Amino acid sequence: MQNKKYKYRVSFPHIGNYYVPIYNWFSNILDKNTTKIIIPKKMSKQTLEFGSNNSPDFICLPFKYNVGNFIESLNQGANVLVQAGGGCKYGYYAELQEQILKDMGYDFKYITLVEKGKIKPFKIYKKFKELNPNLTFFKFIYRFCVAALIAYFLDKFEDYIRLNISYEEKIGKFEVIHKIFLLKLRNIKSISQLFKVKNKYMKKLKNIKLISKEDRNEKIKIGIIGELFTSMEQFSSNNIEKKLNKLGAATKRYTTVTYLLVKKPLEMKRLIKKSKKYIEYELGADGTTSVAHAIELADNGYDGIIHIKPFGCTPEENAIPILQKISKDKNIPIMYLTFDTQNSDTALDTRLEAFYDMLVMNKEKKKVDVLDNKEALDG
Ligand code: SF4
């Protein structure tokens, strides 16, 4: 295999489009002469099949996807796997994944970035220095900062698309610019180049013609809350955002890497305070934010909310009874979706269409009620 000419073949798990900053980081801290970065295959039915056939039955779905991803990369010749680790039960899964893959006969080096819930930059640097002895700590950190900025701009870019894609006058323009932007980000060399690319493509995005403001106000707005993996890796939730956008709804999703690593830790206390009618303590993982964001979406006039989670996700299961109460108190419909290894696209389409139609009817009814009230007041 041509890969074998490289001493190290490094791979990592897929999640949304974050392979772009990760690829940028690794390709700039590792030696091109000795190391090849294997971008993991996009999630597919085969990834899930590999993962579920080789994982314990009742383990969280993201674990299975990761195992499947690793098997695909190992089959492509990878011999170094990097796993983020950290967070909820997931923080304890790294050792198990390593053991499963080694028991399957694969020979590889396993690097975990988060250990016992802590990120220790110097320790991680030392692991990468074993792959590239010429790597300096400064370069390691600088290139990490560039990659983090790439992730930040990517999140901003995709947030804008989610909110506006169902308003575009000519369907397909957002998607084209998105694809080119991803390609450009992958090979960014410096922070100044990153700003130039971001400004250029953000401008292109904002120049895309949208339907009129009146027509936009008529559209249904749906907030998506829930567990992080199913939120950020669209394959694992059957591309729910695209499906909703296709139906004509604008979607908002809070969960992104930027949100999880930067904003969430800073605003956790405020979120609990704001949700004090419903919760007193953290629910773990994304449970607290699901509750707080449901309140925010209802207060901001969203037409409906969809709560998504993988099968067996305890923090989100704990959030559901609270969300049901919020839905009742604030009169906002919430649909609950659980994703597992066997998901039917047709069944999801039917449920989404029914939910969307109900929201359209609710919106119409609200308009009629406003008119009736006005007429009654006018006498
Ligand atoms: S948040 Fe849910 S899916 Fe993720 S590790 Fe925790 S229990 Fe598993």
Side-chain angles (χ1 to χ4, degrees):
M1 189 184 284
Q2 201 216 348
N3 271 340
K4 292 275 156 77
K5 78 174 189 194
Y6 296 99
K7 186 173 176 197
Y8 300 113
R9 279 103 48 198
V10 180
S11 197
F12 49 91
H14 220 289
I15 181 160
N17 289 319
Y18 294 112
Y19 67 91
V20 173
I22 300 173
Y23 174 83
N24 185 284
W25 185 31
F26 290 173
S27 60
N28 282 290
I29 58 171
L30 297 171
D31 182 350
K32 286 180 182 53
N33 296 315
T34 58
T35 310
K36 180 182 167 73
I37 319 290
I38 300 180
I39 296 182
K41 284 190 178 177
K42 288 217 168 184
M43 297 294 187
S44 66
K45 285 203 168 130
Q46 188 172 57
T47 320
L48 193 51
E49 210 177 298
F50 279 150
S52 16
N53 288 346
N54 295 289
S55 306
D57 259 1
F58 283 96
I59 215 148
C60 311
L61 194 60
F63 181 98
K64 295 179 184 173
Y65 272 108
N66 279 185
V67 169
N69 245 183
F70 281 149
I71 293 174
E72 286 174 331
S73 293
L74 290 162
N75 289 346
Q76 283 183 279
N79 63 0
V80 180
L81 299 178
V82 184
Q83 171 64 289
C88 193
K89 296 181 205 166
Y90 206 81
Y92 307 99
Y93 286 165
E95 293 82 357
L96 189 54
Q97 287 181 341
E98 185 177 5
Q99 199 53 56
I100 288 174
L101 297 168
K102 292 209 161 141
D103 286 350
M104 287 174 76
Y106 291 112
D107 183 22
F108 59 94
K109 187 180 165 67
Y110 198 69
I111 297 181
T112 319
L113 302 182
V114 185
E115 277 179 38
K116 293 180 188 151
K118 291 206 172 96
I119 302 175
K120 295 184 178 154
F122 199 71
K123 220 174 156 190
I124 304 171
Y125 158 68
K126 285 213 290 212
K127 291 179 189 174
F128 281 92
K129 197 171 163 66
E130 278 175 31
L131 307 182
N132 177 11
N134 295 325
L135 180 65
T136 62
F137 187 59
F138 174 78
K139 187 169 181 188
F140 173 76
I141 293 293
Y142 172 72
R143 294 309 321 186
F144 172 77
C145 294
V146 176
L149 261 183
I150 292 177
Y152 172 71
F153 289 134
L154 178 61
D155 283 340
K156 281 195 94 132
F157 200 83
E158 293 186 342
D159 274 348
Y160 183 88
I161 294 182
R162 267 190 292 279
L163 281 172
N164 292 288
I165 196 164
S166 65
Y167 304 151
E168 66 183 341
E169 247 183 32
K170 227 174 169 189
I171 291 169
K173 294 231 162 192
F174 276 109
E175 222 170 284
V176 172
I177 295 179
H178 187 204
K179 276 189 185 146
I180 305 173
F181 186 60
L182 290 176
L183 281 176
K184 297 276 172 197
L185 286 185
R186 218 197 264 191
N187 296 314
I188 290 291
K189 287 281 165 241
S190 64
I191 291 184
S192 62
Q193 188 196 5
L194 171 60
F195 271 88
K196 264 190 213 146
V197 167
K198 183 269 292 183
N199 289 341
K200 181 174 168 189
Y201 285 90
M202 204 65 208
K203 198 171 164 202
K204 280 184 189 282
L205 210 58
K206 290 193 172 168
N207 280 342
I208 291 176
K209 278 212 165 137
L210 303 179
I211 53 173
S212 68
K213 204 168 174 209
E214 293 72 42
D215 288 342
R216 270 183 269 165
N217 287 339
E218 292 300 310
K219 291 266 185 182
I220 293 297
K221 289 195 290 173
I222 299 177
I224 299 175
I225 55 170
E227 188 270 338
L228 73 95
F229 187 85
T230 29
S231 300
M232 297 196 294
E233 175 47 62
Q234 284 290 297
F235 183 84
S236 70
S237 48
N238 289 38
N239 296 305
I240 190 168
E241 286 169 6
K242 265 199 183 150
K243 285 181 189 291
L244 289 168
N245 295 148
K246 233 174 160 183
L247 283 173
T251 50
K252 178 174 173 70
R253 184 233 293 169
Y254 294 85
T255 310
T256 60
V257 159
T258 312
Y259 179 77
L260 294 170
L261 297 183
V262 184
K263 204 166 170 215
K264 185 176 161 183
L266 296 176
E267 67 171 11
M268 191 46 93
K269 275 195 185 143
R270 184 186 66 82
L271 291 182
I272 297 182
K273 206 169 158 197
K274 216 176 125 196
S275 325
K276 71 171 185 290
K277 187 174 166 201
Y278 302 95
I279 47 172
E280 271 185 66
Y281 308 103
E282 273 196 48
L283 295 176
D286 309 297
T288 319
T289 46
S290 289
V291 169
H293 292 151
I295 298 171
E296 196 172 298
L297 290 162
D299 291 345
N300 287 344
Y302 269 69
D303 300 292
I305 296 173
I306 299 185
H307 175 254
I308 57 178
K309 69 171 174 63
F311 174 75
C313 178
T314 332
E316 294 302 331
E317 268 162 19
N318 291 339
I320 289 179
I322 309 169
L323 292 171
Q324 286 166 335
K325 196 163 186 326
I326 294 170
S327 167
K328 210 166 149 209
D329 289 353
K330 303 227 170 231
N331 193 22
I332 182 163
I334 305 184
M335 182 162 79
Y336 305 90
L337 294 174
T338 300
F339 295 91
D340 199 4
T341 49
Q342 305 285 336
N343 301 309
S344 152
D345 240 355
T346 326
L348 181 64
D349 285 347
T350 314
R351 288 192 69 187
L352 291 181
E353 272 167 38
F355 186 66
Y356 177 80
D357 288 347
M358 182 193 69
L359 298 183
V360 172
M361 280 191 292
N362 278 358
K363 201 172 170 105
E364 289 301 316
K365 189 176 173 302
K366 273 183 199 158
K367 268 197 260 165
V368 172
D369 288 348
V370 169
L371 280 177
D372 286 352
N373 283 343
K374 197 171 175 286
E375 271 173 27
L377 280 174
D378 292 346

